[in-house]
């Protein structure tokens, strides 16, 4: 009975011209989206490689120069484009691609793609994640809204009952028949993406395991919609009612719930304004050591402490340049200030994420969205991790420069210049994103919620249709 039901449903699906047109349109959109994303991916990584090489050459070829002047001259940390961003671009469009690393200041990522776009971008981009998250559930609605209502309208429902067909077999047959086209399209897209990524230059380690994990997330997401659409079709008296209710579920789950969750999270845990953030940073800086001001209260205390540690009564008697040492301690204090203030921003982000997770019970879209971005390394968590890595590199760079001045000059000496080969001793900035296991661990609650949606929707479907 299950096999016959599957065969019957698939024949009816592909017999309908509207279904064939819908499948063609979805496949066409997916193909175009993958092609556009692959071109963007290649162009972005070519720019990334060129910018990284060019900036390193500029740093290495500064010539003889004072290390503190080089600290203010600064350098850049560039964020790479990861392979699965071809499938899910996440927040990369808005988060910025490079961070300027300079003395005394932690900067935010700049040059986001969104800043270069016109107002037309408000209508959305044609990307694989847009089709996977929004269009595919709508496709499921269009394929399955009349799965049960057509049986009642055509009178075949009574024939099935009189033939002694068991309800769960009918439901399972219809479920498989509806899910098979979705499975085929999703698998084709991910295989195409995997083939494209496998043949592109390696600007990031592409792992098939990550692509498979992303595919499983989307299939669970589609299983939930398949269950809900079939449940609505069984519950509704007419196909028209089933279509309206199913579309309403799609609107609520994919459009209304995410927007409401975003507004609620922002209202409950708002970020400080840029002016408030700058004022808080300035206040904390002024309360501590100023590496450029020898008359600063904390600077005088540091001077007394260092003299006591070395058993001397004059800064000239120290085996290193105290001015450079004081500047390094000032850098360390300012770094602590920035870590404190940015940690507050991360705490707000984590609280907002908690609000999202609590509201994910209203829509399977939210956990699927966060899991997809996390696996693709295009979520805010990865961006925060990159920013922290860049800041740690900035701090290490300042110590590298200040230590050179402290060890090669005496107190009060001016005009020192490091050799032209000194700059090459600084290791290049390199960032590795969290591995798949770590991503899944960090998103364990989203996995659990998506799993709950899947299990509960199956239970709802089979319990409500057991009397067929």
């Amino acid at each position: 009975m299950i096999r016959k039901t599957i065969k019957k449903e698939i024949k009816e699906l592909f017999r309908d011209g509207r279904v064939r047109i819908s499948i063609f349109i979805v496949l066409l959109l997916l193909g175009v989206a993958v092609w556009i994303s692959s071109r963007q991916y290649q162009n972005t990584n070519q720019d990334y490689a060129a910018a990284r090489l060019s900036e390193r050459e500029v740093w290495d070829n500064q010539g003889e120069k004072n290390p503190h002047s080089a600290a203010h001259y600064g350098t850049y940390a560039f964020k790479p484009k990861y392979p699965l961003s071809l499938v899910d671009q996440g927040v990369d469009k808005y988060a910025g691609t490079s961070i300027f690393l300079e003395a005394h200041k932690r900067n935010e990522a700049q040059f986001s793609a969104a800043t270069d776009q016109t107002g037309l971008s408000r209508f959305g981009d044609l990307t694989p994640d847009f089709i996977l998250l929004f269009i595919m559930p709508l496709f499921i609605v269009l394929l399955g809204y009349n799965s049960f209502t057509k049986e009642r309208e055509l009178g075949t429902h009574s024939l099935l009952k009189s033939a002694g067909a068991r309800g769960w077999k009918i439901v399972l047959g219809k479920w498989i028949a509806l899910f098979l086209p979705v499975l085929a399209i999703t698998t084709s897209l991910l295989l195409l993406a995997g083939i494209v990524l496998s043949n592109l230059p390696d600007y990031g380690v592409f792992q098939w395991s990550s692509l498979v994990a992303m595919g499983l997330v989307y299939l669970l997401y589609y299983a939930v919609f398949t269950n809900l659409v079939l449940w609505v079709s069984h519950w509704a008296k007419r196909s028209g009612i089933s279509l309206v209710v199913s579309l309403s579920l799609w609107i609520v789950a994919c459009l209304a719930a995410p927007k409401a969750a975003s507004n609620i999270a922002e209202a409950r845990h708002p970020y400080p304004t840029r002016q408030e953030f700058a004022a808080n940073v300035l206040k904390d800086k002024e309360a501590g050591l100023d590496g450029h001001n020898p008359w600063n209260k904390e600077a005088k205390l540091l001077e007394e402490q260092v003299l006591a540690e070395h058993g001397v009564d004059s800064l000239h008697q120290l085996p290193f340049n105290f001015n450079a040492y004081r500047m390094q301690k000032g850098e360390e204090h300012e770094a602590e200030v920035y870590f404190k203030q940015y940690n507050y921003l991360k705490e707000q982000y984590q609280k907002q994420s908690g609000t999202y997770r609590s509201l994910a019970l209203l829509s399977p879209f939210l956990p699927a969205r966060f899991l997809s971005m996390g696996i693709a390394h295009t979520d805010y968590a990865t961006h925060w991790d990159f920013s922290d890595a860049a800041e740690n590199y900035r701090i290490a760079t300042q110590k590298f420069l200040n230590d050179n001045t402290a060890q090669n000059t005496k107190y009060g000496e001016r005009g020192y210049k490091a050799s032209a080969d000194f700059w090459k001793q600084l290791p290049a900035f390199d960032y590795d994103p969290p591995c798949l296991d770590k991503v899944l661990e960090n998103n364990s609650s989203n996995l659990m919620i998506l799993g709950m949606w899947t299990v509960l929707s199956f239970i709802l479907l089979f319990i409500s249709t057991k009397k067929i």
Side-chain angles (χ1 to χ4, degrees):
M1 179 56 70
I2 296 176
R3 186 183 302 173
K4 291 180 179 179
T5 304
I6 295 173
K7 186 177 180 180
K8 166 185 170 295
E9 291 293 324
I10 291 179
K11 278 186 176 180
E12 290 183 352
L13 280 176
F14 285 92
R15 192 178 296 161
D16 190 337
R18 293 170 297 181
V19 172
R20 294 198 300 270
I21 293 173
S22 299
I23 293 175
F24 172 76
I25 291 174
V26 170
L27 289 174
L28 178 63
L29 290 176
L30 282 172
V32 173
V34 170
W35 180 78
I36 293 174
S37 294
S38 64
R39 295 294 299 173
Q40 291 176 343
Y41 177 78
Q42 292 181 76
N43 293 337
T44 300
N45 275 323
Q46 288 172 1
D47 293 342
Y48 163 76
R52 186 180 182 185
L53 179 63
S54 174
E55 187 61 28
R56 185 65 195 191
E57 288 179 351
V58 170
W59 175 265
D60 289 343
N61 296 305
Q62 294 182 82
E64 293 187 353
K65 195 175 190 179
N66 182 274
H68 196 65
S69 297
H72 282 284
Y73 179 75
T75 186
Y76 279 90
F78 296 98
K79 183 180 179 182
K81 190 89 169 165
Y82 300 108
L84 288 183
S85 63
L86 184 150
V87 179
D88 191 341
Q89 296 188 16
V91 300
D92 278 1
K93 177 180 174 181
Y94 309 97
T97 57
S98 61
I99 300 178
F100 181 54
L101 310 177
E102 59 178 327
H104 314 308
K105 187 178 181 182
R106 176 173 179 173
N107 295 307
E108 298 179 4
Q110 306 174 50
F111 310 115
S112 64
T115 58
D116 297 327
Q117 291 185 325
T118 65
L120 292 175
S121 64
R122 293 178 61 87
F123 293 100
D125 296 327
L126 183 59
T127 57
D129 58 285
F130 172 77
I131 296 172
L132 289 171
L133 287 164
F134 292 94
I135 303 301
M136 288 299 289
L138 181 60
F139 180 66
I140 293 172
V141 170
L142 295 178
L143 290 185
Y145 75 93
N146 65 345
S147 291
F148 287 102
T149 54
K150 67 183 178 183
E151 304 287 2
R152 287 190 287 269
E153 292 172 348
L154 297 175
T156 54
H157 178 69
S158 301
L159 293 176
L160 288 172
K161 290 175 65 177
S162 63
R166 302 188 66 176
W168 69 269
K169 290 186 177 181
I170 297 174
V171 175
L172 183 58
K174 287 181 176 293
W175 192 95
I176 294 174
L178 177 57
F179 196 72
L180 277 177
V182 177
L183 175 64
I185 293 173
T186 306
T187 303
S188 300
L189 168 66
L190 296 179
L191 282 175
L192 176 61
I195 293 170
V196 170
L197 290 170
S198 299
N199 289 279
L200 289 177
D202 188 13
Y203 290 103
V205 180
F206 167 64
Q207 296 180 335
W208 280 96
S209 58
S210 296
L211 186 63
V212 170
M214 180 181 286
L216 291 176
V217 167
Y218 281 117
L219 291 179
L220 288 176
Y221 177 55
Y222 301 148
V224 173
F225 269 95
T226 301
N227 294 336
L228 294 178
V229 169
L230 289 177
W231 173 73
V232 170
S233 181
H234 173 261
W235 167 82
K237 301 298 182 182
R238 297 180 180 277
S239 296
I241 297 175
S242 176
L243 178 60
V244 171
V245 174
S246 297
L247 287 175
S248 300
L249 285 176
W250 175 79
I251 292 171
V252 171
C254 297
L255 302 177
K259 184 61 178 177
S262 175
N263 291 338
I264 293 171
E266 186 175 352
R268 292 183 61 183
H269 307 289
Y271 287 113
T273 64
R274 188 176 294 273
Q275 292 78 9
E276 291 172 343
F277 181 79
N280 292 335
V281 169
L282 181 61
K283 180 181 177 181
D284 286 347
K285 279 186 176 182
E286 292 176 346
L289 175 63
D290 185 346
H292 280 287
N293 182 8
W295 308 109
N296 175 260
K297 177 182 177 181
E298 295 296 327
K300 298 300 292 183
L301 291 174
L302 177 66
E303 179 181 327
E304 295 172 3
Q305 178 185 348
V306 171
L307 291 175
E309 287 177 356
H310 288 81
V312 297
D313 54 11
S314 171
L315 296 177
H316 294 279
Q317 297 174 343
L318 291 173
F320 54 85
N321 188 333
F322 179 75
N323 282 338
Y325 179 81
R326 185 185 63 241
M327 284 192 292
Q328 175 56 29
K329 289 299 180 181
E331 285 286 351
E332 293 174 4
H333 163 68
E334 291 168 343
E336 291 177 358
V337 169
Y338 280 112
F339 270 117
K340 173 188 173 183
Q341 296 300 329
Y342 274 89
N343 281 337
Y344 174 74
L345 296 182
K346 284 195 287 185
E347 288 174 3
Q348 293 299 97
Y349 160 73
Q350 290 168 356
K351 290 177 181 177
Q352 288 188 2
S353 298
T355 301
Y356 285 129
R357 285 192 293 271
S358 63
L359 295 173
L361 297 173
L362 301 177
S363 169
F365 175 93
L366 293 172
R369 167 91 270 194
F370 287 122
L371 281 166
S372 177
M373 290 194 300
I375 295 171
H377 297 309
T378 57
D379 58 341
Y380 271 120
T382 301
H383 183 72
W384 279 117
D385 195 52
F386 164 75
S387 298
D388 286 344
E391 175 63 6
N392 288 329
Y393 181 79
R394 184 187 76 86
I395 295 169
T397 300
Q398 302 311 311
K399 179 173 174 55
F400 170 79
L401 298 173
N402 288 328
D403 285 354
N404 178 268
T405 303
Q407 298 299 327
N408 292 285
T409 62
K410 297 180 180 179
Y411 179 73
E413 182 180 341
R414 298 181 180 276
Y416 168 72
K417 292 183 179 180
S419 66
D421 294 331
F422 167 68
W423 317 110
K424 298 178 182 178
Q425 299 175 24
L426 178 68
F429 173 73
D430 192 26
Y431 171 71
D432 293 321
C435 63
L436 177 61
D437 291 342
K438 186 65 175 178
V439 170
L440 295 179
E441 179 184 343
N442 293 338
N443 285 274
S444 58
S445 59
N446 288 318
L447 272 173
M448 183 181 66
I449 293 171
L450 185 59
M452 287 175 54
W453 265 103
T454 306
V455 172
L456 292 177
S457 62
F458 269 114
I459 293 174
L460 175 66
L461 174 62
F462 279 92
I463 288 180
S464 63
T465 56
K466 66 180 182 180
K467 294 182 179 180
I468 293 179

